[in-house]
Amino acid sequence: MQELANECCDELDSYSRYVGRSDDRDSLEALSFLPESLLDAHQSESLADCIRSIENELGGSEMVETNLDLMLEYWPVESEEDVRKRDLRRLANLLEKLGFGVEPDTRFSAPSRGWGDPAVIYRLPSEASAETSAVSEGIRLIQKLAVKVVLANDEVAPEQTEYLAENLGSFLELSESDRLRLEAHRRWLVLDSPTLHGVRQRAEDLPDEQKPRIAKFLTALACSDGNIDSDEIQELSKIYPMLGLDEGMVHTYVHQLQMSSPEEDDDPVTIQQPESTSEEYEIPEPEVEEESPSSGIELDQDRVRRTLEESQEVSTFLADIFEDDEDETEKNDAQQESQPVENQPADQESSTTDDEKKDLDEDHRRFLVSLSQKQQWEREEVEELAREHGLFLGAAIEVINDYAFELVETPVIEGTDEIMVNKDVSEEILE
């Protein structure tokens, strides 16, 4: 019974602290802290109006493109005020408990947006949770780069969106909820017209050996509608260096797909040099077919098709880009356990003792040092701090808390919208 009481107190802790600070119990922001089981039974006019508005917008559809005003109208923020990133995060949390998803979703490091900005809302299957989503920040980053390439010439070709959807969707074997998250994210990116701000830093966490494959994937995407123009090449030339690649590789990859030039194909082959003659004959002008203004470099369609087929292997590594190497670790452990004791390294036994646990790496240690300067942070502050250290916040918290559990069986970082730092634990880790 005590355990159940403690569990209930834990679930209500965020709501209780919010009410204590703001004296607000019934706004949508306050309700976003309530557990889903209590939210279902809560009677609130603003909540009922918000749900009704979303349902009317969706109609019978699974997903619809709209704008944030649809939901911000019921949120405790004035129309002339800036919308904070944490507002959108709490809104996403609330909508998820109500069975809806939204993009931009700042829980996945999406940029903050406000009144009048585009949004995509969609229905979520029951039990869907952002915390267990397999759509990693790495996959979202690649999709952002892909959409940037697709939008390079301000025209979204159906072949390109189809190719992108297949490679980042069905091949990843995502759950229904994650398939919807990825599709909504893609549709929102097209509406939002993303920039390359912050891409270089985020791309540093991509595995180096995969970056050329990602670059080929993006190039194949640009070619998937049968041609590639100067705008798409220019966009790729910006992206390649952000992946640590020479921008000259763009032309190398494109050249591999390019047909022989028309001049080479159409020039006659000389069989025998003509004898000198004074007679002259008028050669008619060749008929010139009018080119489409949107046409770019002419591509060999067979080569494009083969490249697209080959680049579909990109899907085999996308799901693993930002995940831990758990399988490799388990494999190594199994190999070591299967070895006779005399064949194992001399320090094998001692390496598993508490006194010789693997230290926290320097990047995460520096991040924790900075984080320990305060006991309470707003999530936006911590996200910025993580970016300054070249880390993704979610993964960084997991690494540090895993280390803390190994050391003292207590997490050092807790909270979602407000991040709390256990100073006692952090001092023990850093001493």
Side-chain angles (χ1 to χ4, degrees):
M1 184 64 72
Q2 183 62 45
E3 184 178 345
L4 179 60
N6 291 338
E7 185 178 334
C8 292
C9 288
D10 289 341
E11 289 192 8
L12 289 171
D13 182 60
S14 296
Y15 178 72
S16 177
R17 284 191 286 115
Y18 178 84
V19 172
R21 287 195 315 271
S22 62
D23 195 29
D24 168 22
R25 297 174 180 271
D26 297 314
S27 72
L28 293 192
E29 185 172 12
L31 298 180
S32 70
F33 292 98
L34 276 178
E36 184 176 346
S37 56
L38 295 180
L39 188 62
D40 291 340
H42 193 87
Q43 300 296 322
S44 166
E45 184 177 347
S46 60
L47 181 62
D49 289 344
C50 182
I51 294 174
R52 190 179 304 110
S53 180
I54 293 173
E55 288 287 4
N56 289 340
E57 190 76 5
L58 282 167
S61 303
E62 182 181 70
M63 184 178 299
V64 68
E65 297 170 4
T66 179
N67 64 64
L68 284 171
D69 295 12
L70 178 73
M71 293 149 288
L72 291 178
E73 180 182 350
Y74 305 99
W75 199 259
V77 58
E78 298 298 329
S79 58
E80 66 274 7
E81 293 181 3
D82 292 334
V83 180
R84 297 167 298 181
K85 198 170 184 179
R86 74 177 185 187
D87 287 320
L88 296 181
R89 183 181 304 107
R90 292 171 181 175
L91 174 62
N93 283 333
L94 175 65
L95 292 178
E96 185 173 270
K97 295 171 186 177
L98 298 172
F100 304 109
V102 63
E103 285 290 343
D105 192 335
T106 56
R107 298 173 300 177
F108 294 96
S109 299
S112 183
R113 292 293 184 263
W115 293 96
D117 287 327
V120 175
I121 56 173
Y122 55 101
R123 300 183 191 278
L124 277 174
S126 59
E127 307 303 323
S129 171
E131 293 182 358
T132 59
S133 173
V135 182
S136 69
E137 293 189 20
I139 295 173
R140 284 173 171 261
L141 173 60
I142 294 172
Q143 181 157 258
K144 176 179 178 179
L145 295 177
V147 170
K148 197 79 175 77
V149 171
V150 168
L151 293 176
N153 55 11
D154 298 323
E155 294 180 4
V156 181
E159 297 90 344
Q160 292 176 323
T161 55
E162 180 181 348
Y163 175 63
L164 177 56
E166 287 179 349
N167 276 276
L168 287 178
S170 60
F171 289 124
L172 287 175
E173 298 183 357
L174 297 173
S175 66
E176 178 65 12
S177 59
D178 280 340
R179 182 193 68 77
L180 290 168
R181 288 187 199 281
L182 199 60
E183 180 183 350
H185 181 244
R186 179 171 61 253
R187 290 174 63 170
W188 174 73
L189 285 171
V190 172
L191 295 173
D192 190 64
S193 299
T195 69
L196 294 176
H197 177 71
V199 166
R200 187 184 299 274
Q201 187 175 20
R202 293 176 63 192
E204 289 177 357
D205 284 339
L206 293 168
D208 289 337
E209 67 274 12
Q210 304 293 6
K211 291 177 181 178
R213 297 173 70 186
I214 296 170
K216 284 188 175 182
F217 165 70
L218 296 174
T219 308
L221 172 65
C223 299
S224 60
D225 61 346
N227 68 71
I228 183 169
D229 60 29
S230 59
D231 291 329
E232 290 170 321
I233 291 178
Q234 185 177 7
E235 201 65 57
L236 289 167
S237 297
K238 295 176 185 176
I239 292 173
Y240 271 47
M242 293 183 176
L243 295 173
L245 304 173
D246 187 341
E247 67 177 84
M249 293 175 64
V250 176
H251 297 280
T252 300
Y253 289 154
V254 172
H255 182 70
Q256 293 172 358
L257 303 175
Q258 189 175 357
M259 297 181 67
S260 301
S261 67
E263 291 80 3
E264 293 174 353
D265 290 340
D266 296 339
D267 283 349
V269 179
T270 301
I271 304 298
Q272 179 180 354
Q273 293 292 342
E275 296 180 1
S276 172
T277 177
S278 59
E279 294 185 52
E280 294 183 357
Y281 300 92
E282 183 178 353
I283 300 176
E285 292 291 331
E287 295 183 6
V288 179
E289 294 183 6
E290 185 177 349
E291 293 187 0
S292 168
S294 62
S295 65
I297 296 174
E298 189 174 4
L299 302 172
D300 185 322
Q301 295 304 311
D302 288 336
R303 293 179 185 175
V304 171
R305 177 182 52 78
R306 290 195 301 271
T307 300
L308 293 178
E309 290 173 353
E310 291 168 1
S311 67
Q312 285 180 355
E313 67 183 19
V314 76
S315 63
T316 63
F317 72 84
L318 286 176
D320 300 325
I321 283 178
F322 280 102
E323 293 181 1
D324 296 330
D325 297 327
E326 294 178 358
D327 292 341
E328 188 65 27
T329 301
E330 291 174 2
K331 179 180 177 182
N332 292 338
D333 289 345
Q335 289 175 344
Q336 290 175 352
E337 289 174 4
S338 65
Q339 291 179 354
V341 174
E342 60 270 19
N343 291 341
Q344 293 185 9
D347 62 346
Q348 177 68 27
E349 183 176 349
S350 62
S351 67
T352 61
T353 64
D354 290 340
D355 292 337
E356 296 190 18
K357 288 189 191 303
K358 184 178 179 181
D359 287 337
L360 191 65
D361 67 84
E362 194 58 33
D363 288 339
H364 288 90
R365 178 174 289 273
R366 284 197 296 265
F367 174 56
L368 182 57
V369 169
S370 300
L371 200 59
S372 299
Q373 302 304 310
K374 292 197 306 183
Q375 189 169 357
Q376 183 173 334
W377 296 76
E378 292 291 340
R379 187 178 182 90
E380 289 85 352
E381 298 177 298
V382 184
E383 286 179 339
E384 180 61 31
L385 191 63
R387 280 193 292 270
E388 290 174 3
H389 287 270
L391 301 171
F392 287 116
L393 180 58
I397 290 177
E398 184 176 351
V399 168
I400 293 171
N401 277 342
D402 283 349
Y403 182 79
F405 269 112
E406 288 184 10
L407 199 64
V408 293
E409 298 185 353
T410 302
V412 63
I413 305 170
E414 296 183 283
T416 303
D417 292 310
E418 290 185 348
I419 306 296
M420 307 295 294
V421 181
N422 188 321
K423 300 294 285 286
D424 293 334
V425 177
S426 69
E427 288 174 4
E428 187 163 350
I429 291 175
L430 299 171
E431 67 179 5

